[in-house]
Amino acid sequence: NIPKLPVLSTEQGIKQIQSNLHKLNDWKEINKLIPDYFIKNKNMKKTGFAGIFAASLELSKEGVVSLMQKKIFDRLLIKKLTK
């Protein structure tokens, strides 16, 4: 039996970003949107980032948010798009 570890799915990431849209009027580091549970647990930080990153790409495709990275390996920023 392989134990199933908790992950932050894309769907959960979308919900997390949508619940924080009111905080995204200006550019904000995408890392700040990772839920505390995933940040506090060192082994879970990567899955937290992966879920938020995948969700941000999906919401960017839908025109909800915009993503920016000034140079390679720089921090990734997210902002709510105004309609």
Side-chain angles (χ1 to χ4, degrees), residues 36-48:
D36 286 341
Y37 170 76
F38 292 92
I39 292 290
K40 291 177 182 175
N41 186 334
K42 185 178 178 182
N43 295 330
M44 303 302 298
K45 193 171 184 178
K46 288 182 182 179
T47 185

Side-chain angles (χ1 to χ4, degrees), residues 1 7 9-10 12-13 15 22-25 30-31 38 40 45-46 52 55 58-59 61 67 72-73 76 78:
N1 279 339
V7 297
S9 69
T10 302
Q12 291 170 317
K15 289 178 185 175
H22 65 282
K23 298 177 183 177
L24 301 177
N25 292 324
I30 200 168
N31 290 346
F38 292 92
K40 291 177 182 175
K45 193 171 184 178
K46 288 182 182 179
I52 290 294
E58 185 63 33
L59 290 173
K61 186 172 80 172
L67 299 171
I72 193 168
F73 300 116
L76 185 59
I78 187 169

Side-chain angles (χ1 to χ4, degrees), residues 61-79:
K61 186 172 80 172
E62 293 175 8
V64 177
V65 298
S66 180
L67 299 171
M68 176 178 65
Q69 189 176 33
K70 293 185 179 181
K71 59 184 178 179
I72 193 168
F73 300 116
D74 202 3
R75 54 196 183 132
L76 185 59
L77 304 173
I78 187 169
K79 179 181 176 181

